[in-house]
């Protein structure tokens, strides 16, 4: 039924978006209906949410929106919401299975855009770094391994990218001096740093 309605839109993105939104509403109405099994409700909810998401994407495309996050963040939010709900209902579920896909959808496209594109993108870099830091802190507070690792995996290349950009803007002697001081500090506290790294590795391994 929905496929036939999409074919009748004649390629119009706005009409196709309206079909997807209305189909999502029609499916969502069935979720609380009596007689539906829990598994059936989950399937209906997923279909309704997916249809609404596609409808939103089509509206963005029809309006000429080219901001990457306008397309990726709704999908990531949907995946994270489903993952958080699954974590509450299934205590044995790991954070990688529940939150990994959503976090990957949230961080990876923006990170690739920052690293590959030649444009400055200052607001995207700032927002990505702040979001990754917040995810690391939130994951550490909840003892979830996936947010800690994926957030750190976003922060490290982002920090290296910022360092590379700064390398072209500041005099070389500043970086050489900072590098020398860092090496001296590491050499003087090598054993303590090594123990800290071992404790950090063990702490991350114990996260769920």
């Amino acid at each position: 039924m929905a496929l036939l309605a999409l074919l009748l839109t004649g390629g119009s993105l706005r009409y196709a978006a309206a079909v997807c939104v209305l189909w999502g509403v029609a499916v969502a109405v069935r979720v609380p209906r009596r007689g539906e099994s829990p598994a059936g409700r989950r399937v209906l909810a997923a279909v309704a949410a997916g249809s609404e998401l596609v409808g939103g994407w089509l509206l963005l495309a029809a309006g000429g929106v080219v901001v990457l996050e306008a397309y990726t963040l709704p999908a990531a939010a949907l995946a994270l919401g489903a993952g958080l709900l699954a974590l509450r209902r299934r205590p044995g579920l790991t954070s990688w299975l529940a939150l990994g896909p959503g976090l990957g959808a949230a961080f990876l496209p923006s990170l690739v855009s920052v690293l590959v594109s030649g444009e400055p993108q200052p607001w995207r870099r700032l927002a990505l770094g702040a979001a990754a830091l917040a995810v690391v802190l939130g994951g550490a507070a909840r003892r979830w391994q996936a947010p800690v690792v994926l957030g750190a995996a976003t922060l490290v290349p982002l920090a290296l990218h910022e360092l590379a950009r700064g390398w072209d803007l500041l005099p070389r002697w500043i970086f050489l001096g900072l590098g020398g001081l860092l090496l001296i500090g590491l050499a003087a506290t090598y054993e303590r740093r090594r123990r800290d790294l071992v404790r950090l590795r063990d702490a991350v391994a114990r996260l769920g």
Side-chain angles (χ1 to χ4, degrees), residues 82 104-105 109 128 136 152 162 188:
L128 181 61
V136 169
E162 295 301 316

Side-chain angles (χ1 to χ4, degrees), residues 110-121:
S110 298
L111 180 62
V112 170
S113 176
V114 167
L115 298 180
V116 174
S117 176
E119 299 178 359
Q121 308 182 78

Side-chain angles (χ1 to χ4, degrees), residues 80 83-88 90-91 93-96 98-100 103 135-151 203-208:
L80 287 173
L84 290 172
L85 184 61
L87 279 175
R88 292 185 59 183
R90 299 168 56 188
L93 190 66
T94 66
S95 62
W96 284 102
L99 304 177
L103 290 173
V135 165
V136 169
L137 296 177
R142 298 301 299 269
R143 301 188 63 81
W144 288 337
Q145 189 180 79
V148 172
V149 174
L150 293 178
V204 172
R206 288 194 298 270
L207 297 175

Side-chain angles (χ1 to χ4, degrees), residues 107 123-135 151 154-155 158:
F107 288 146
W123 289 110
R124 175 172 286 156
R125 286 154 40 205
L126 178 61
L128 181 61
L133 179 60
V135 165
T154 302
L155 283 173
L158 189 61

